[in-house]
mmCIF file of all heavy atoms in Angstrom:
data_model
loop_
_atom_site.group_PDB
_atom_site.id
_atom_site.type_symbol
_atom_site.label_atom_id
_atom_site.label_comp_id
_atom_site.label_asym_id
_atom_site.label_seq_id
_atom_site.Cartn_x
_atom_site.Cartn_y
_atom_site.Cartn_z
ATOM 1 N N ALA H 385 -36.789 64.758 -47.474
ATOM 2 C CA ALA H 385 -36.316 66.126 -47.256
ATOM 3 C C ALA H 385 -37.362 67.066 -47.826
ATOM 4 O O ALA H 385 -37.916 66.814 -48.907
ATOM 5 C CB ALA H 385 -34.974 66.360 -47.935
ATOM 6 N N ILE H 387 -37.807 70.898 -49.076
ATOM 7 C CA ILE H 387 -36.971 72.024 -49.456
ATOM 8 C C ILE H 387 -37.803 73.182 -49.992
ATOM 9 O O ILE H 387 -38.936 73.017 -50.436
ATOM 10 C CB ILE H 387 -35.913 71.615 -50.502
ATOM 11 C CG1 ILE H 387 -36.586 71.301 -51.852
ATOM 12 C CG2 ILE H 387 -35.097 70.427 -50.031
ATOM 13 C CD1 ILE H 387 -35.578 71.037 -52.971
ATOM 14 N N LEU H 394 -31.139 77.798 -50.923
ATOM 15 C CA LEU H 394 -31.933 76.639 -50.526
ATOM 16 C C LEU H 394 -32.174 76.631 -49.023
ATOM 17 O O LEU H 394 -31.287 76.967 -48.239
ATOM 18 C CB LEU H 394 -31.205 75.345 -50.902
ATOM 19 C CG LEU H 394 -31.301 74.862 -52.348
ATOM 20 C CD1 LEU H 394 -30.359 73.675 -52.543
ATOM 21 C CD2 LEU H 394 -32.721 74.465 -52.686
ATOM 22 N N TYR H 395 -33.368 76.211 -48.638
ATOM 23 C CA TYR H 395 -33.706 75.989 -47.232
ATOM 24 C C TYR H 395 -34.321 74.601 -47.105
ATOM 25 O O TYR H 395 -34.971 74.107 -48.034
ATOM 26 C CB TYR H 395 -34.709 77.029 -46.726
ATOM 27 C CG TYR H 395 -34.166 78.427 -46.645
ATOM 28 C CD1 TYR H 395 -34.105 79.219 -47.787
ATOM 29 C CD2 TYR H 395 -33.702 78.953 -45.450
ATOM 30 C CE1 TYR H 395 -33.596 80.504 -47.724
ATOM 31 C CE2 TYR H 395 -33.188 80.240 -45.378
ATOM 32 C CZ TYR H 395 -33.139 81.013 -46.521
ATOM 33 O OH TYR H 395 -32.627 82.285 -46.454
ATOM 34 N N VAL H 396 -34.122 73.998 -45.931
ATOM 35 C CA VAL H 396 -34.778 72.732 -45.637
ATOM 36 C C VAL H 396 -35.577 72.875 -44.351
ATOM 37 O O VAL H 396 -35.216 73.632 -43.453
ATOM 38 C CB VAL H 396 -33.770 71.570 -45.487
ATOM 39 C CG1 VAL H 396 -33.129 71.241 -46.817
ATOM 40 C CG2 VAL H 396 -32.717 71.881 -44.424
ATOM 41 N N PHE H 415 -33.252 65.999 -42.254
ATOM 42 C CA PHE H 415 -32.600 67.200 -41.727
ATOM 43 C C PHE H 415 -33.132 67.598 -40.352
ATOM 44 O O PHE H 415 -32.903 68.716 -39.891
ATOM 45 C CB PHE H 415 -32.761 68.369 -42.700
ATOM 46 C CG PHE H 415 -31.889 68.272 -43.919
ATOM 47 C CD1 PHE H 415 -32.407 67.805 -45.122
ATOM 48 C CD2 PHE H 415 -30.552 68.625 -43.865
ATOM 49 C CE1 PHE H 415 -31.605 67.703 -46.252
ATOM 50 C CE2 PHE H 415 -29.738 68.525 -44.987
ATOM 51 C CZ PHE H 415 -30.265 68.066 -46.182
ATOM 52 N N VAL H 425 -29.147 75.526 -46.597
ATOM 53 C CA VAL H 425 -28.219 74.439 -46.900
ATOM 54 C C VAL H 425 -27.680 74.627 -48.310
ATOM 55 O O VAL H 425 -28.234 75.387 -49.114
ATOM 56 C CB VAL H 425 -28.893 73.045 -46.793
ATOM 57 C CG1 VAL H 425 -29.338 72.752 -45.376
ATOM 58 C CG2 VAL H 425 -30.058 72.935 -47.772
ATOM 59 N N SER H 426 -26.623 73.926 -48.601
ATOM 60 C CA SER H 426 -26.075 73.914 -49.959
ATOM 61 C C SER H 426 -26.648 72.727 -50.713
ATOM 62 O O SER H 426 -27.087 71.739 -50.102
ATOM 63 C CB SER H 426 -24.552 73.799 -49.896
ATOM 64 O OG SER H 426 -24.184 72.525 -49.376
ATOM 65 N N PRO H 427 -26.636 72.783 -52.041
ATOM 66 C CA PRO H 427 -27.062 71.600 -52.804
ATOM 67 C C PRO H 427 -26.252 70.362 -52.442
ATOM 68 O O PRO H 427 -26.787 69.247 -52.423
ATOM 69 C CB PRO H 427 -26.821 72.027 -54.263
ATOM 70 C CG PRO H 427 -26.938 73.516 -54.241
ATOM 71 C CD PRO H 427 -26.360 73.933 -52.917
ATOM 72 N N GLU H 428 -24.961 70.568 -52.119
ATOM 73 C CA GLU H 428 -24.110 69.447 -51.771
ATOM 74 C C GLU H 428 -24.584 68.729 -50.504
ATOM 75 O O GLU H 428 -24.451 67.511 -50.379
ATOM 76 C CB GLU H 428 -22.668 69.922 -51.594
ATOM 77 C CG GLU H 428 -21.974 70.358 -52.871
ATOM 78 C CD GLU H 428 -22.441 71.716 -53.376
ATOM 79 O OE1 GLU H 428 -23.040 72.491 -52.576
ATOM 80 O OE2 GLU H 428 -22.222 72.011 -54.569
ATOM 81 N N GLN H 429 -25.140 69.486 -49.565
ATOM 82 C CA GLN H 429 -25.646 68.863 -48.344
ATOM 83 C C GLN H 429 -26.838 67.957 -48.638
ATOM 84 O O GLN H 429 -26.994 66.893 -48.039
ATOM 85 C CB GLN H 429 -26.042 69.931 -47.328
ATOM 86 C CG GLN H 429 -24.866 70.608 -46.649
ATOM 87 C CD GLN H 429 -25.310 71.736 -45.752
ATOM 88 O OE1 GLN H 429 -25.601 72.846 -46.211
ATOM 89 N NE2 GLN H 429 -25.385 71.463 -44.453
ATOM 90 N N ILE H 430 -27.681 68.391 -49.558
ATOM 91 C CA ILE H 430 -28.828 67.559 -49.930
ATOM 92 C C ILE H 430 -28.349 66.313 -50.666
ATOM 93 O O ILE H 430 -28.822 65.191 -50.416
ATOM 94 C CB ILE H 430 -29.827 68.369 -50.771
ATOM 95 C CG1 ILE H 430 -30.458 69.469 -49.905
ATOM 96 C CG2 ILE H 430 -30.906 67.460 -51.354
ATOM 97 C CD1 ILE H 430 -31.360 70.405 -50.655
ATOM 98 N N VAL H 431 -27.387 66.475 -51.563
ATOM 99 C CA VAL H 431 -26.826 65.328 -52.270
ATOM 100 C C VAL H 431 -26.207 64.342 -51.281
ATOM 101 O O VAL H 431 -26.393 63.113 -51.387
ATOM 102 C CB VAL H 431 -25.779 65.793 -53.306
ATOM 103 C CG1 VAL H 431 -25.042 64.580 -53.885
ATOM 104 C CG2 VAL H 431 -26.443 66.596 -54.418
ATOM 105 N N ALA H 432 -25.501 64.868 -50.280
ATOM 106 C CA ALA H 432 -24.830 64.002 -49.317
ATOM 107 C C ALA H 432 -25.816 63.177 -48.502
ATOM 108 O O ALA H 432 -25.544 62.005 -48.185
ATOM 109 C CB ALA H 432 -23.957 64.837 -48.386
ATOM 110 N N ARG H 433 -26.972 63.742 -48.170
ATOM 111 C CA ARG H 433 -27.948 62.991 -47.363
ATOM 112 C C ARG H 433 -28.840 62.097 -48.224
ATOM 113 O O ARG H 433 -29.541 61.229 -47.688
ATOM 114 C CB ARG H 433 -28.778 63.960 -46.528
ATOM 115 C CG ARG H 433 -27.902 64.797 -45.594
ATOM 116 C CD ARG H 433 -28.564 65.148 -44.311
ATOM 117 N NE ARG H 433 -27.671 65.937 -43.457
ATOM 118 C CZ ARG H 433 -27.928 66.265 -42.209
ATOM 119 N NH1 ARG H 433 -29.073 65.879 -41.642
ATOM 120 N NH2 ARG H 433 -27.076 66.983 -41.504
ATOM 121 N N ASP H 434 -28.848 62.345 -49.525
ATOM 122 C CA ASP H 434 -29.496 61.463 -50.498
ATOM 123 C C ASP H 434 -30.881 60.978 -50.051
ATOM 124 O O ASP H 434 -31.110 59.769 -49.882
ATOM 125 C CB ASP H 434 -28.595 60.249 -50.760
ATOM 126 C CG ASP H 434 -28.974 59.509 -52.038
ATOM 127 O OD1 ASP H 434 -29.586 60.135 -52.928
ATOM 128 O OD2 ASP H 434 -28.672 58.306 -52.139
ATOM 129 N N PRO H 435 -31.827 61.885 -49.853
ATOM 130 C CA PRO H 435 -33.157 61.460 -49.384
ATOM 131 C C PRO H 435 -33.855 60.568 -50.394
ATOM 132 O O PRO H 435 -33.689 60.716 -51.606
ATOM 133 C CB PRO H 435 -33.896 62.786 -49.210
ATOM 134 C CG PRO H 435 -33.198 63.745 -50.120
ATOM 135 C CD PRO H 435 -31.747 63.338 -50.088
ATOM 136 N N ILE H 438 -38.434 63.651 -51.840
ATOM 137 C CA ILE H 438 -38.273 65.103 -51.675
ATOM 138 C C ILE H 438 -39.635 65.762 -51.825
ATOM 139 O O ILE H 438 -40.412 65.431 -52.728
ATOM 140 C CB ILE H 438 -37.297 65.694 -52.703
ATOM 141 C CG1 ILE H 438 -35.862 65.225 -52.415
ATOM 142 C CG2 ILE H 438 -37.348 67.215 -52.699
ATOM 143 C CD1 ILE H 438 -34.834 65.727 -53.425
ATOM 144 N N PHE H 461 -30.302 68.139 -58.823
ATOM 145 C CA PHE H 461 -30.075 66.905 -58.061
ATOM 146 C C PHE H 461 -30.282 65.644 -58.911
ATOM 147 O O PHE H 461 -31.008 64.728 -58.505
ATOM 148 C CB PHE H 461 -31.015 66.858 -56.857
ATOM 149 C CG PHE H 461 -30.932 68.069 -55.967
ATOM 150 C CD1 PHE H 461 -31.991 68.956 -55.896
ATOM 151 C CD2 PHE H 461 -29.785 68.317 -55.214
ATOM 152 C CE1 PHE H 461 -31.926 70.074 -55.080
ATOM 153 C CE2 PHE H 461 -29.707 69.427 -54.398
ATOM 154 C CZ PHE H 461 -30.773 70.317 -54.326
ATOM 155 N N VAL H 464 -29.507 62.337 -56.962
ATOM 156 C CA VAL H 464 -30.179 62.029 -55.701
ATOM 157 C C VAL H 464 -31.249 60.965 -55.940
ATOM 158 O O VAL H 464 -31.992 61.004 -56.934
ATOM 159 C CB VAL H 464 -30.791 63.304 -55.086
ATOM 160 C CG1 VAL H 464 -31.717 62.969 -53.908
ATOM 161 C CG2 VAL H 464 -29.681 64.247 -54.627
#
Side-chain angles (χ1 to χ4, degrees):
I387 69 174
L394 279 172
Y395 292 81
V396 291
F415 286 99
V425 296
S426 67
E428 291 75 18
Q429 285 175 280
I430 293 175
V431 171
R433 301 213 179 188
D434 197 24
I438 291 178
F461 306 111
V464 169

